[in-house]
Amino acid sequence: RQPKISLTALNLALISAGPNLGRWRSMMTALANWKHWIVPQKHPRTGCVPTGYQMLLRAGSVPIKDEPTFQDRYDLDKDLRPEDVRSGRAKAQNNFESVRQRVLADHPGIALEIRHHKTGLDKVRFLEEQIRTGAPTIVSVLVKDTGPDRGFHIYLAVEDTGDYLVLKNLSGAPGGN
């Protein structure tokens, strides 16, 4: 049986909807072992996507081929200079699909699922269900939506407090922040 690991794209504004969503959210749930899955992000500027995939493979107990070099092998942008992207001389390549294809090529027999949702409410409900059922899920969150440095960051959805969703940053020291 193939482990099924999920990813989803989600806008930060939808996560912070809080009390307005409280009417239909009544139970606190959390992923039980998420602290064991977190790994530090090696390349702070570019490596959140491969870090997220590494964490998901760990969560699914998938044997990781040469784990110490995982992020180096799957960070397609680690050598990219920000000024080259801003000037248009180069294009960032890290995204869920591009990194997914490379991970699947080296780890046959696993399923990595990418989900897109039509509404913010659908996305929040999906995350709540993933947390409730204990399914590890990483989330792409828009952190800057204008200008040349427009970008996203990857977080692990770890808890539904009943009022809001708790996301863990995959960068920095073990355990995230």
Side-chain angles (χ1 to χ4, degrees), residues 12-166:
L12 181 59
L14 304 171
I15 296 167
S16 60
N20 295 332
L21 299 175
R23 284 175 273 133
W24 51 269
R25 298 171 68 194
S26 60
M27 183 181 228
M28 183 173 136
T29 54
L31 296 179
N33 296 314
W34 68 266
K35 290 181 182 180
H36 300 288
W37 309 330
I38 297 288
V39 293
Q41 183 177 322
K42 281 186 176 181
H43 306 284
R45 195 175 37 79
T46 62
C48 60
V49 174
T51 303
Y53 275 108
Q54 182 179 10
M55 185 277 313
L56 289 176
L57 294 181
R58 291 168 59 100
S61 298
V62 173
I64 299 175
K65 179 181 176 182
D66 194 18
E67 186 168 13
T69 67
F70 186 93
Q71 292 179 46
D72 295 317
R73 287 182 288 127
Y74 299 110
D75 186 346
L76 309 178
D77 295 335
K78 69 181 177 292
D79 298 322
L80 194 62
R81 297 178 339 161
E83 58 272 17
D84 290 340
V85 174
R86 282 193 289 275
S87 70
R89 290 188 301 267
K91 184 177 177 188
Q93 305 216 9
N94 278 351
N95 61 60
F96 278 154
E97 187 58 35
S98 62
V99 176
R100 175 183 172 266
Q101 291 302 320
R102 294 208 180 181
V103 170
L104 289 174
D106 286 344
H107 299 83
I110 65 169
L112 294 169
E113 179 183 352
I114 299 174
R115 293 267 183 111
H116 301 278
H117 302 276
K118 291 185 183 208
T119 70
L121 188 56
D122 290 342
K123 293 173 188 179
V124 169
R125 286 184 173 155
F126 174 77
L127 285 175
E128 290 174 330
E129 181 65 14
Q130 293 298 95
I131 293 168
R132 187 186 67 72
T133 61
T137 304
I138 58 174
V139 181
S140 177
V141 177
L142 182 63
V143 292
K144 185 172 184 211
D145 66 354
T146 59
D149 293 326
R150 182 177 190 264
F152 296 81
H153 190 64
I154 307 304
Y155 297 86
L156 170 66
V158 297
E159 183 178 355
D160 177 358
T161 69
D163 291 323
Y164 55 88
L165 297 175
V166 176

